[in-house]
Amino acid sequence: MATAALETAVDQAALLEFLLRIGDNALILGHRVSEWCGHSPALEEDIALANTALDLIGQTQLWLGLAGEVEGKGRSADDLAYLRDGYDFRNILLVERPNGDFGKTLMRQFLFDAWHYLLLKALKGSTETRIAEIAEKAFKEVSYHLDRSRDLVIRLGDGTAESHRRMQEALDDLWPYTGEMFAADAVDAALVEAGIIPEPQSLKAGWDEIVAEALAEGTLKKSADGYMHKGGRRGVHTEHLGFILSEMQFLQRAYPGATW
Amino acid sequence: MDPALRPSLDEVWHWLAEVPDPEIPVISLTDLGIIRNVAWRDDTLVVTVTPTYSGCPATTIINLDIETALAEKGLSKVKLERQLSPAWTTDWISAEGREKLRDYGIAPPIDGTAADGVLMKRVDRLSGRSNLTIACPRCGSTNTEKISQFGSTPCKASYRCTNCLEPFDYFKCI
Ligand SMILES: [Zn+2]
């Protein structure tokens, strides 16, 4: 009984909520990044984006697979990905932002990767063994994601006048969506208390440091901390999620149970 | 299976050593280090496999190949179990496997630079410089440059030799 430990100590509803949040972040960003397949500015970048998407979808299977077990209603990772409606998704709004140009996609990736990297690093020490195991696996992959997105943010920021302008615009546009990464509610509090997840705010200083250093090297100016958009974590999404789901879920909705 | 007729575990390992990796067929599953354990549980042979990357599309094929190979040896009751931790590391690729990779034109991972090595320290240090010294599998020159952090599969990066001009894959450390 591998799930025995999960079924005892903590509030199962809180645990499920957390697993949906982290799983949906990987799923929605993975799907967004996969939209680039065959459309990237260079073959190498096309492959890199596809591989990043693949890692994220693989991590989704692990997180949502565990979510299904914790929920205990017999739903698989596929059921959770393909058969839930928008208001049941728990991803942060940042990952459902449209791709925009290549620079914007990379900026979104970098802002997310820096946080994802720190979150997974902390989760490797989770008191919940199965969460720690998935984090250990995903952390290795995400280290490469961060390595690459940071490198490209620097190169494009400190590139031509045109690439610099686009990167600064991307940063200013996406910045208001970064606050949600560090938001906390009762779900977080319960899991922090049990040592299952880190305090969201505790990741902020490390994230600020990674971001500030890359932006400085890329000659980009950090955006002002103004109004921060929130809602995804409790199922209140922008209209963009609906379009993602209509594409991602079409087949299973139109032909329930289809396999190949 | 009648315990008296069971093959020894050594024999099973030997069979698994002949199953090629579906994406890089010059190395076997045991060269790759993804078979973590083989054991009898009652009359069922349990093979424990760890994924290389969580999204590796070869995982399903690998499981199928293991079942097929063992079925051909007469083992019908085989159970595959997934083990996530400790997470797979390129340090587990055998010395023989590394040579086979090089002969095949893929620069093998640098020894001992996985999980706790160069990459993670570098990321932690936030230096942003990501070129390790990778020798060209064709001419052996270390005058090589990284083209992309990701190659034909998630486990590889694309490099180019500035000496003989050969583009090649590098099996990156993880
Ligand atoms: Zn060469």
Side-chain angles (χ1 to χ4, degrees):
Chain A
M1 277 304 291
T3 52
L6 285 175
E7 282 160 7
T8 49
V10 227
D11 179 353
Q12 293 304 290
L15 194 56
L16 173 61
E17 190 72 8
F18 166 74
L19 290 167
L20 291 176
R21 286 172 177 177
I22 194 165
D24 288 345
N25 280 338
L27 174 61
I28 300 303
L29 185 59
H31 189 82
R32 267 289 184 235
V33 175
S34 77
E35 291 172 8
W36 274 100
C37 195
H39 300 278
S40 303
L43 181 60
E44 288 77 10
E45 291 310 321
D46 205 288
I47 292 170
L49 285 164
N51 278 320
T52 303
L54 195 60
D55 281 345
L56 290 167
I57 301 295
Q59 292 165 18
T60 303
Q61 280 175 340
L62 299 175
W63 292 124
L64 292 188
L66 184 55
E69 282 180 41
V70 168
E71 187 191 43
K73 291 182 183 166
R75 290 205 283 182
S76 67
D78 279 346
D79 292 337
L80 290 170
Y82 295 126
L83 301 175
R84 274 181 303 153
D85 290 322
Y87 47 79
D88 288 327
F89 275 76
R90 294 291 182 264
N91 58 279
I92 54 174
L93 300 178
L94 176 70
V95 298
E96 66 194 51
R97 298 307 298 158
N99 284 337
D101 59 21
F102 181 71
K104 192 162 171 184
T105 291
L106 261 297
M107 182 59 80
R108 183 187 60 200
Q109 192 70 36
F110 170 63
L111 296 171
F112 180 81
D113 287 344
W115 171 73
H116 203 199
Y117 171 83
L118 295 169
L119 174 63
L120 292 169
K121 192 176 185 180
L123 288 175
K124 289 202 295 175
S126 173
T127 51
E128 203 47 87
T129 317
R130 298 194 59 191
I131 286 179
E133 286 181 357
I134 297 173
E136 182 194 350
K137 185 85 202 149
F139 175 71
K140 290 181 170 210
E141 296 162 359
V142 167
S143 299
Y144 273 107
H145 299 177
L146 175 58
D147 201 39
R148 168 175 175 273
S149 62
R150 184 184 53 219
D151 189 42
L152 282 168
V153 161
I154 293 169
R155 281 161 63 186
L156 292 171
D158 190 19
T160 64
E162 177 68 7
S163 74
H164 175 85
R165 181 187 66 76
R166 286 176 183 244
M167 293 313 275
Q168 187 64 56
E169 241 175 61
L171 178 66
D172 296 339
D173 189 56
L174 294 169
W175 194 258
Y177 294 91
T178 58
E180 196 175 17
M181 298 190 282
F182 308 102
D185 57 16
V187 168
D188 298 290
L191 299 180
V192 168
E193 171 78 23
I196 292 174
I197 67 166
E199 166 73 49
Q201 195 61 35
S202 70
L203 305 175
K204 183 74 162 61
W207 183 83
D208 279 339
E209 196 189 328
I210 294 174
V211 170
E213 198 166 322
L215 295 184
E217 206 178 328
T219 70
L220 295 166
K221 205 165 135 272
K222 192 183 157 199
S223 315
D225 280 322
Y227 177 77
M228 289 288 175
H229 298 281
K230 291 187 181 76
R233 279 161 43 95
R234 48 190 173 85
V236 181
H237 293 276
T238 61
E239 71 273 26
H240 303 294
L241 182 70
F243 289 95
I244 295 175
L245 296 186
S246 66
E247 185 181 316
M248 189 176 80
Q249 299 185 333
F250 170 77
L251 196 109
Q252 282 304 326
R253 300 286 194 174
Y255 306 96
T259 56
W260 63 91
Chain B
M1 180 174 255
D2 182 346
L5 298 174
R6 279 180 192 168
S8 72
L9 293 179
D10 275 353
E11 214 165 345
V12 173
W13 276 106
H14 196 75
W15 293 338
L16 293 173
E18 286 167 1
V19 182
D21 174 74
E23 277 178 346
I24 314 169
V26 290
I27 59 170
S28 74
L29 299 184
T30 54
D31 282 332
L32 198 56
I34 58 169
I35 310 284
R36 302 314 298 158
N37 194 35
V38 175
W40 286 101
R41 193 180 296 155
D42 300 326
D43 62 346
T44 303
L45 183 75
V46 180
V47 181
T48 310
V49 186
T50 191
T52 50
Y53 281 71
S54 44
C56 182
T59 307
T60 325
I61 310 290
I62 287 172
N63 288 351
L64 201 65
D65 287 350
I66 293 173
E67 284 172 345
T68 308
L70 295 177
E72 278 169 7
K73 300 291 182 185
L75 295 179
S76 51
K77 294 191 86 174
V78 173
K79 189 176 189 315
L80 294 174
E81 290 190 347
R82 184 186 71 190
Q83 182 182 319
L84 281 183
S85 180
W88 181 77
T89 156
T90 38
D91 287 348
W92 294 347
I93 298 179
S94 69
E96 200 189 334
R98 283 159 202 263
E99 283 316 308
K100 289 181 194 165
L101 283 174
R102 207 191 316 274
D103 288 346
Y104 189 59
I106 298 172
I110 293 178
D111 211 13
T113 52
D116 302 314
V118 172
L119 173 77
M120 300 307 161
K121 285 196 186 110
R122 190 181 67 238
V123 171
D124 274 340
R125 222 177 39 240
L126 315 173
S127 70
R129 298 283 169 262
S130 40
N131 260 333
L132 299 169
T133 308
I134 310 298
C136 168
R138 184 170 177 266
C139 75
S141 167
T142 50
N143 293 322
T144 58
E145 59 186 14
K146 188 179 75 186
I147 301 170
S148 173
Q149 191 64 276
F150 293 85
S152 54
T153 59
C155 58
K156 292 181 234 124
S158 299
Y159 273 73
R160 169 168 47 215
C161 176
T162 53
N163 188 43
C164 75
L165 304 181
E166 181 84 353
F168 64 91
D169 271 343
Y170 161 60
F171 204 121
K172 63 198 189 207
C173 298
I174 188 168

